[in-house]
Each structure stands twice: as structure tokens, then as C-alpha cells.
């Protein structure tokens, strides 16, 4: 038994000796050449080497190689363990990666690789969550008008069609919901085109006064219908700005429709101020205003401060998300100033 144990110790020692010597093979040529050069110089210029001296030198070389191999094996094992831990997701923080002073460059590289793959994975998870949330929101928003249309049509088919008091109003309501559905689908198409990078922009100089006056002509009846005034005091006649006219029209229409939607009395004003390099465009209303805490969030897809109020008016909460993308594609940003109960201002700049 004792003999067996002894053999096991010897065989383990031999195994470690061979492994470390094998690991030191990369240094073999350098070590042997240096030792040979040293031996030759010593032999010819200092003192002739005896057989014992040669044997001692060989033993010295072997011991040196053994220790060099030992250090190398330890370092390699450390690298292998670190990489395996990263692969198996066992590392929680970058501080757990430590390869020692000699391998600090490699350690930094592995650390940055670890951080990059961690952020990539986090981003993928976030995208997946956003996608699921988006799908959930879309189905929820689609369900509302579809159920309403279905309800009105079923009631009509069940006999209300013959009832002259309600048949027309039911059809009008069903029709109103198909318009909402259409509005939602158009917004969804726009958002998906924008986010997949398929939105083609066509930038050129155009007359900002002309664009605003065209929009105003279209939107005035809606404002007046609510007893609101929609004003614009044209800026310098020939003021041209640089941008995609159609997309900016879409953004401005969205902002003006919001102003009309969220204002009960007073007026909506479009104000253009000319600056040195920019024209600043502001859509101002005297409406309900936006609470401070919601200002950042209103640009998120489907975010509405008062969901019921917005939905009742056919809003899907995608309008400002589209506006944000369009204005950002022009290298600008929408700034919001608002006071609860007093009104809001949506401001952005365009290059002259
Ligand atoms: N001028 C405004 N005054 C007050 N609140 C506003 C104004 N503009 C936007 N909001 C708030 O921001 C939310 C998001 O606006 P957004 O235009 O994205 O959606 P929506 O108007 O509800 O629906 P959609 O534009 O899709 O028809 C609105 O629901 C509303 O609560
Ligand atoms: Mg809107």
C-alpha cells in the first residue's frame, strides 16, 4: 500500500516535470543557444570545461527550462480558465479577470472583449423586450377599433339596421373607427420604415412660408371647428430652409394636430424666428400643458399622458415618436416647454 502511494507521488512528480518541460519548448532554442554561447566563451577564453562542468550545465539548462515551463503552464491555465468562465457566463464582473502583471495587455484585451460581449448581450435582451412590448402594444391598439367596428356591425345585423333612429349613427361610428384603424396602420408603417432605416429622405432648400401656409389652410377648419384660432405671421418672404419638405410637413401636421387636440380654448400659433444659421420653428398652444415628469416620455412609442382621452380622439401615441425621428434625421432635436393648464411649445431648428 505504502509502495503504491510512493509510486503515485513519483509518477505525479514525473508527469509535472514532463508537462512543464514540454511547455518550455517554446524557449528551448533561445535557452540552449545562450547556454552554448556561454559555455564556448567560458571554454575558450576563461577556463576549459570539464565533463562535470558540461553535465552541470545540462542540469542547469533543464532546471531553468523546468521553471520557465512551470510559469508558462500556470499562465496558460489562467488564460484558459478565464476564457472558459466567460464562455460559460460564470463571470459577473470585469474585476474578476486577473492574469497577472506580465500579461496585463492580454488581460486588458480580454476585459474589453468581455465588456463588449456583455453590452451586446444586454442590447439584444433589451431589443427583444422592446420588440415584445411593441407587439403587445400594437395588438392592443388594433383590438380597440376592430372590436368597436365588429360590435356596431353585429348590432346592425341583429336588427338595428331597420331602426331608422340608430342605423345611420352606428354606421358613422363604425366608419369613424375604420378611420382610426387606418390612421394607426399608417403610423405603424411609418414607424417601421423609419426604424428599419428604409425611410428615404430627400433634402433640398424650400420656402418655409409656403409650406406653413399650405399646412395652415388644411388644418384651420379643424381648429375653427373647436373654436380655436390658428395663426401664423409669415417670416421674411424668401426664407429658405434645408430639409425634406414632405417629411417636415408630416412632422408639423402632427404637432399642429396635437395642439388642436390638447387645447380647449385659446389659440395655436406657428412662430418662425430667423437666426444666423438656422430658422427656429415653434408650434405654440394655450392648451392643457404637459406635466414636467412626462415631457421626456411623450416621444416614446404609444406613450400617452391620458390614454382614454387620446384614444377617444383616435390617437395611437405614435405621432410624436414619428416627429422625433423626422426632426432628428434633420440633425435637430424637438425641445418642449410646457406649463400645466397654460399651454405648450414644441420647438425645433432647421438649417438655412
Ligand atoms: N400640445 C400638447 N399639449 C398637451 N399634451 C400633448 C401635446 N402634444 C402631445 N401631448 C401628449 O403627448 C402624448 C403623445 O403624443 P402623440 O402625438 O405621440 O400621441 P397622440 O396624439 O396621443 O396620438 P397620435 O398622434 O398617434 O394620434 C399625447 O397623448 C398627449 O398626452
Ligand atoms: Mg399626436
Amino acid at each position: 500500500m505504502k509502495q503504491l502511494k510512493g509510486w503515485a507521488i513519483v509518477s505525479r512528480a514525473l508527469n509535472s516535470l514532463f508537462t512543464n518541460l514540454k511547455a518550455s519548448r517554446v524557449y528551448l532554442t533561445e535557452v540552449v543557444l545562450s547556454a552554448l554561447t556561454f559555455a564556448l566563451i567560458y571554454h575558450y577564453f576563461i577556463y576549459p570545461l570539464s565533463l562535470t562542468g558540461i553535465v552541470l550545465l545540462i542540469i542547469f539548462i533543464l532546471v531553468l527550462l523546468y521553471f520557465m515551463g512551470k510559469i508558462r503552464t500556470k499562465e496558460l491555465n489562467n488564460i484558459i480558465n478565464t476564457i472558459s468562465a466567460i464562455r460559460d457566463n460564470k463571470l459577473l464582473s470585469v474585476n474578476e479577470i486577473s492574469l497577472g502583471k506580465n500579461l496585463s495587455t492580454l488581460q486588458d484585451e480580454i476585459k474589453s472583449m468581455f465588456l463588449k460581449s456583455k453590452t451586446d448581450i444586454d442590447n439584444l435582451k433589451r431589443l427583444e423586450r422592446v420588440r415584445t412590448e411593441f407587439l403587445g402594444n400594437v395588438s392592443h391598439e388594433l383590438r380597440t377599433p376592430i372590436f368597436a367596428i365588429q360590435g356596431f356591425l353585429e348590432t346592425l345585423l341583429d336588427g338595428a339596421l331597420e331602426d331608422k333612429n340608430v342605423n345611420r349613427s352606428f354606421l358613422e361610428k363604425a366608419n369613424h373607427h375604420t378611420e382610426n384603424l387606418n390612421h394607426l396602420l399608417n403610423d405603424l408603417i411609418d414607424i417601421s420604415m423609419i426604424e428599419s432605416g428604409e425611410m428615404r429622405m430627400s433634402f433640398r432648400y424650400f420656402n418655409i412660408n409656403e409650406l406653413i401656409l399650405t399646412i395652415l389652410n388644411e388644418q384651420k377648419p379643424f381648429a375653427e371647428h373647436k373654436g380655436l384660432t390658428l395663426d401664423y405671421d409669415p417670416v421674411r418672404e424668401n426664407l429658405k430652409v434645408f430639409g425634406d419638405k414632405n417629411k417636415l410637413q408630416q412632422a408639423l401636421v402632427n404637432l399642429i394636430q396635437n395642439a388642436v387636440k390638447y387645447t380647449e380654448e385659446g389659440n395655436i400659433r406657428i412662430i418662425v424666428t430667423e437666426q444666423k444659421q438656422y430658422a427656429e420653428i415653434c408650434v405654440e398652444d394655450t392648451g392643457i400643458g404637459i406635466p414636467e415628469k412626462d415631457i421626456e416620455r411623450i416621444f416614446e412609442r404609444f406613450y400617452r399622458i391620458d390614454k382614454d382621452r387620446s384614444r377617444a380622439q383616435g390617437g395611437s401615441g405614435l405621432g410624436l415618436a414619428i416627429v422625433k425621428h423626422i426632426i432628428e434625421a434633420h440633425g435637430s432635436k424637438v425641445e418642449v416647454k410646457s406649463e400645466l393648464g397654460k399651454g405648450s411649445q414644441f420647438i425645433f431648428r432647421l438649417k438655412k
Side-chain angles (χ1 to χ4, degrees), residues 252-265:
L252 274 166
V253 166
N254 259 314
L255 292 177
I256 295 170
Q257 284 179 344
N258 276 353
V260 173
K261 227 198 275 190
Y262 303 105
T263 303
E264 292 314 327
E265 57 180 41

Side-chain angles (χ1 to χ4, degrees), residues 145 175-186 311-316:
N175 188 40
H176 172 70
H177 283 287
T178 59
E179 280 165 8
N180 287 352
L181 197 58
N182 191 30
H183 169 86
L184 171 65
L185 289 177
N186 283 335
R311 204 178 280 140
Q313 303 194 37
S316 59

Side-chain angles (χ1 to χ4, degrees), residues 200-208 211 239-249 329-330 350-352:
R200 297 266 167 274
M201 305 287 285
S202 141
F203 290 96
R204 46 180 67 105
Y205 279 98
F206 66 89
N207 187 313
I208 186 74
L211 176 71
L239 177 60
K240 294 218 161 107
V241 291
F242 189 65
D244 183 317
K245 192 175 167 187
N246 290 335
K247 296 285 179 304
L248 286 169
Q249 172 158 5
H330 284 79
L350 291 176
K351 203 169 143 275
K352 281 205 308 193

